[in-house]
Amino acid sequence: MNHRSPSATLSSPASTSPAPRLVRALARRWPAILGLAFAAFNLATDDPDSITAVLLVLVLATTAYVVIAVLVRPRWSWPVLGVLVVVVVTARLVSSGPAVELAAMTAIVVGAIAGGAVRGAFSRPGPCRWQPFAAVGFMALGLGALWLSPEGGRMLIAAGLIGHAAWDAVHWHRHAVVSRSLSEWCGALDLTLGVGVLVLVLVG
């Protein structure tokens, strides 16, 4: 008489035929894939005589981190990023240049740092206490690129993006400040775009 084990009886066709490992691995890495796609789009539509597009990526990432740190709500990471993107798009629609967009992000960063200092949001251990310093550093680097030639400015911003990718990696490793999916997405975007812009400048 053939006796089947309970596990065999309860197993379904789906469990006996699991999805390929590659598909599941790619599904788990959706933030990195999305970041790579955004970087590829930026590089494909990049204007070598302008620093606006790559500068906004660095400024947006910097702003998102410090705002989320002040809110102390990592689960709000993607909604916060979405709101900031809406702010940038709105500023672009009402202005003829990047000045209004950059001014809006700078004002948000300054307001977030001031609000976070009052609330004591930066007194927590780990990466949280470094958020205002990182925000000021990355913003100063990005805005400082405006004073250089397009080529020099793009190289400086590329260095800033690569540096921010390392900052993303710290947050991803520590599960700190922002959601892990956002730090993974941002890291893939920053590193790919930074290296891509640097290569385009050097070979151009």
Side-chain angles (χ1 to χ4, degrees):
M1 185 175 181
N2 185 19
H3 296 282
R4 291 191 294 178
S5 65
S7 60
T9 304
L10 296 176
S11 63
S12 63
S15 64
T16 57
S17 302
R21 290 184 180 179
L22 178 60
V23 174
R24 286 184 294 174
L26 291 175
R28 287 194 297 269
R29 296 277 73 86
W30 68 264
I33 295 172
L34 192 61
L36 290 171
F38 269 78
F41 175 79
N42 273 275
L43 291 171
T45 59
D46 184 47
D47 181 0
D49 296 322
S50 173
I51 66 173
T52 301
V54 289
L55 173 57
L56 282 174
V57 172
L58 178 60
V59 169
L60 194 61
T62 300
T63 307
Y65 266 70
V66 72
V67 170
I68 296 165
V70 172
L71 293 174
V72 198
R73 294 289 187 277
R75 66 179 180 275
W76 291 2
S77 296
W78 289 101
V80 167
L81 180 64
V83 170
L84 293 177
V85 170
V86 170
V87 171
V88 169
V89 172
T90 302
R92 179 169 297 182
L93 291 175
V94 301
S95 65
S96 57
V100 175
E101 303 162 41
L102 296 175
M105 291 296 103
T106 302
I108 292 173
V109 168
V110 172
I113 291 175
V118 171
R119 294 184 57 193
F122 306 129
S123 62
R124 290 170 293 151
C128 287
R129 68 177 56 199
W130 296 103
Q131 294 303 316
F133 305 104
V136 170
F138 284 118
M139 289 294 290
L141 185 149
L143 297 178
L146 294 171
W147 297 92
L148 303 177
S149 65
E151 183 178 84
R154 286 164 65 81
M155 290 186 69
L156 184 61
I157 294 171
L161 286 168
I162 295 171
H164 201 276
W167 190 232
D168 295 322
V170 170
H171 289 76
W172 184 89
H173 178 71
R174 296 194 178 188
H175 297 251
V177 181
V178 301
S179 69
R180 216 175 188 209
S181 60
L182 185 72
S183 60
E184 181 176 335
W185 170 80
C186 195
L189 170 59
D190 290 342
L191 181 60
T192 306
L193 185 59
V195 172
V197 169
L198 194 60
V199 169
L200 289 176
V201 171
L202 293 177
V203 302

